[in-house]
Amino acid sequence: MHNTSARPLAVVIIGAGFAGLGLGIKLDQAGISEYLILEKADDVGGTWRDNSYPGAACDVPSHLYSFSFEPKPDWSTRYARQAEIHEYIRHCVRKYHLGPRIRLGCEVVEARFSEPEGLWHVSTTDGTALTTRALVSACGQLNRPLYPSIPGLDSFAGEAFHSARWRHDVDLAGKRVAVIGTGASAIQFIPQIAPTVSQLTVFQRSAPYVIPKADRQYTSTEHQRLRAWPALQRAARGLQYLAHEARALAFISYPKLMQSTEKAFYNNLQRGVTDPLKRARLVPDYPIGCKRILISNDFYPALDRPNVKIVTERIEAVEPGGVRTAEGSRYDADVLIYGTGFAATEFLAPMRITGRNGLELNQVWRTGAEAYKGISVSGFPNLFILYGPNTNLGHNSIVYMLESQFRYVLGCLAILQHHRFRYMDVKRKAQEAFNVELQKAASTTVWSGGCTSWYQTADGKQTNNWPGYTFAYRRLTRTPEVSDYECAR
């Protein structure tokens, strides 16, 4: 696949998760067939391939967390589990015949834009060289596991792994297990492993707000109905969308509305944890909504078990036989599990993306990533980012955001083709004006409530979340504004 002399491709997409595959389907439907999807792993699925830890599931309802153009009437539960979502993604690949367009085990090392040609030159780890008119990053925000920077990590004598690289070959039964982190992944796998391990020590830096999860199995009658009446499924999806979108009122416009969610949290904690000492450690010290609100019915009961210990002391070092805290306590462990999330603010790293005049994207973004509408970056013509800066959500389905972006990218490709432009490069002024407004809007949301979270860079710049309503984002991305781009023939 050394496409050095061949005709340039129309589009190269990096990543075969929801974003990359969804755009591939839309390119085919728009009659653009000269594209490739490059995937560094040996299977499609992105985050749903990587996160196979026990209990992995989505916290957005299944009907909403799937493509609007590819509904699935027979989701087994209201909140789908990892294996079922991964299978849905594979089903999309089969149904839309994407297989021949996907190169697995093909990791992009760098991409350079050649201004005279208006082409991207892409090179991969296996020595492949590709040229393409447009380059699309569909890498997502949660694809690189973040390991804690604690002295002595490598000295640990037992098995140690990140939840996104779960070792299914390590039997935890009867072992002393230490878990570092209590984020979205940890609250799902802790209840699964707590009953089987002899001792579970959970190291918590900051307590999450965990509210009940309204989960249940769908019945076969419901499956039959949804299959028979597709309009019913569209209506169910629409209602779920509206219910989730209404939550944005509290995040974005009226933080006082968070009070009912806070009440749900306290009730959940009260019900789930009987030990008053444990309960005291599980009350967050920051305003609700400032970090991701989590949903679980079994996290608190799992922590309430006698074989589970919650440690809030700062970790000083990892030693061969366990973990030592700043207060001098030592906690023995046979297995160490990192539930420490992802390097979410480093969007396209470690790839090297070089635009006009030798501009390097990682340099441009060193103070925090930003883009125009989360999609285009000034100085990087014909580069489009899906699920890019400030397009993550705290309240609704990211698949809805992706579908808005598909339309926008297709709009840009149509402009390039129709006007025979060599490239489109978003004007710096347009990008700056967009981001000034965006940061202004972000500063009044609950995510700016004075806590550190993965939504922000170390300096506190909001790089991940969309500080508005998803329907407003859809309106904003309906059609590209050609005047916002410098277009060259």
Side-chain angles (χ1 to χ4, degrees):
M1 195 183 86
H2 293 259
N3 154 322
T4 27
S5 56
R7 217 164 75 153
L9 290 157
V11 186
V12 163
I13 300 169
I14 307 168
F18 263 110
L21 299 171
L23 181 63
I25 293 166
K26 289 293 168 194
L27 287 172
D28 275 331
Q29 290 173 349
I32 300 169
S33 55
E34 294 181 337
Y35 71 88
L36 275 180
I37 301 172
L38 310 181
E39 170 54 61
K40 66 180 178 183
D42 55 8
D43 192 7
V44 299
T47 199
W48 297 105
R49 172 199 60 231
D50 293 346
N51 290 274
S52 65
Y53 56 79
C58 192
D59 57 6
V60 170
S62 324
H63 291 299
L64 201 51
Y65 198 80
S66 42
F67 292 124
S68 61
F69 54 82
E70 187 51 39
K72 176 176 158 66
D74 59 349
W75 287 107
S76 54
T77 51
R78 190 158 186 252
Y79 291 91
R81 310 291 185 266
Q82 174 265 340
E84 197 174 4
I85 298 173
H86 194 195
E87 185 41 48
Y88 169 79
I89 293 171
R90 287 180 172 140
H91 152 81
C92 290
V93 170
R94 291 191 297 271
K95 177 172 174 178
Y96 293 95
H97 312 294
L98 293 176
R101 305 247 194 270
I102 301 168
R103 300 282 182 271
L104 297 172
C106 186
E107 183 172 2
V108 173
V109 186
E110 70 169 333
R112 294 181 162 275
F113 184 71
S114 158
E115 199 168 335
E117 301 171 290
L119 295 176
W120 281 96
H121 292 263
V122 181
S123 49
T124 69
T125 43
D126 64 3
T128 301
L130 297 166
T131 53
T132 179
R133 286 244 160 266
L135 180 65
V136 177
S137 163
C139 306
Q141 297 187 8
L142 307 177
N143 66 351
R144 295 176 60 221
L146 186 65
Y147 291 86
S149 50
I150 300 168
L153 282 192
D154 298 338
S155 72
F156 186 67
E159 301 288 0
F161 53 87
H162 192 284
S163 61
R165 300 286 181 267
W166 194 272
R167 292 275 306 277
H168 293 277
D169 58 326
V170 176
D171 184 10
L172 300 178
K175 300 258 175 70
R176 294 168 303 176
V177 177
V179 171
I180 298 177
T182 50
S185 305
I187 73 147
Q188 292 186 338
F189 71 72
I190 284 173
Q192 303 294 315
I193 66 173
T196 62
V197 304
S198 66
Q199 173 68 45
L200 183 62
T201 312
V202 178
F203 292 91
Q204 171 186 274
R205 192 170 56 181
S206 110
Y209 281 95
V210 183
I211 60 173
K213 185 176 194 175
D215 201 6
R216 65 175 183 84
Q217 294 262 323
Y218 283 120
T219 64
S220 54
T221 313
E222 285 175 302
H223 287 160
Q224 282 162 0
R225 277 191 199 135
L226 291 172
R227 219 177 256 120
W229 296 307
L232 196 62
Q233 181 164 352
R234 282 197 296 278
R237 181 189 168 95
L239 286 171
Q240 286 178 344
Y241 169 77
L242 290 171
H244 277 71
E245 197 59 16
R247 294 178 181 184
L249 284 167
F251 284 110
I252 294 151
S253 311
Y254 308 104
K256 276 199 164 43
L257 292 175
M258 277 289 175
Q259 285 166 354
S260 62
T261 311
E262 195 163 356
K263 203 165 161 212
F265 152 71
Y266 278 110
N267 291 341
N268 199 24
L269 178 61
Q270 199 78 23
R271 262 197 315 270
V273 182
T274 52
D275 178 342
L277 281 174
K278 279 186 177 174
R279 206 186 285 153
R281 289 183 173 167
L282 292 166
V283 176
D285 60 355
Y286 55 87
I288 187 163
C290 184
K291 299 185 189 204
R292 185 171 170 183
I293 297 172
L294 306 177
I295 53 175
S296 169
N297 299 326
D298 51 11
F299 178 59
Y300 289 140
L303 294 183
D304 204 34
R305 296 174 63 92
N307 67 328
V308 177
K309 188 175 256 151
I310 303 159
V311 180
T312 53
E313 300 159 28
R314 193 173 60 80
I315 296 174
E316 181 80 16
V318 170
E319 297 176 342
V323 179
R324 192 179 76 244
T325 66
E327 292 174 24
S329 317
R330 198 191 126 103
Y331 298 90
D332 295 333
D334 307 310
V335 179
L336 191 53
I337 302 173
Y338 306 114
T340 42
F342 301 87
T345 54
E346 301 170 17
F347 288 81
L348 274 74
M351 290 183 288
R352 281 185 56 183
I353 310 285
T354 311
R356 292 168 74 182
N357 310 320
L359 211 56
E360 244 194 80
L361 193 58
N362 290 331
Q363 277 301 103
V364 173
W365 278 356
R366 62 178 188 281
T367 58
E370 65 166 55
Y372 172 72
K373 301 189 182 182
I375 299 171
S376 301
V377 184
S378 183
F380 298 85
N382 301 1
L383 168 70
F384 305 102
I385 301 165
L386 299 176
Y387 193 15
N390 300 104
T391 60
N392 182 60
L393 298 173
H395 69 283
N396 214 323
S397 172
I398 200 63
V399 179
Y400 180 90
M401 294 291 272
L402 290 175
E403 290 192 23
S404 303
Q405 295 177 334
F406 297 162
R407 177 189 297 185
Y408 188 86
V409 172
L410 286 169
C412 290
L413 295 175
I415 289 166
L416 282 167
Q417 197 180 359
H418 179 74
H419 295 285
R420 303 242 165 110
F421 288 141
R422 195 163 26 121
Y423 65 74
M424 286 171 72
D425 185 9
V426 70
K427 293 173 183 168
R428 172 151 295 286
K429 266 203 171 82
Q431 182 179 316
E432 278 170 2
F434 175 81
N435 278 282
V436 164
E437 285 302 307
L438 184 137
Q439 291 298 330
K440 200 160 82 188
S443 68
T444 59
T445 64
V446 291
W447 305 307
S448 300
C451 64
T452 54
S453 74
W454 62 268
Y455 296 153
Q456 302 172 323
T457 63
D459 303 333
K461 180 177 177 177
Q462 287 264 9
T463 55
N464 290 68
N465 280 5
W466 171 245
Y469 298 91
T470 61
F471 56 82
Y473 185 78
R474 177 150 291 188
R475 205 169 52 231
L476 191 72
T477 51
R478 197 162 284 277
T479 43
E481 299 282 351
V482 185
S483 59
D484 288 339
Y485 287 84
E486 182 191 322
C487 300
R489 281 207 164 83

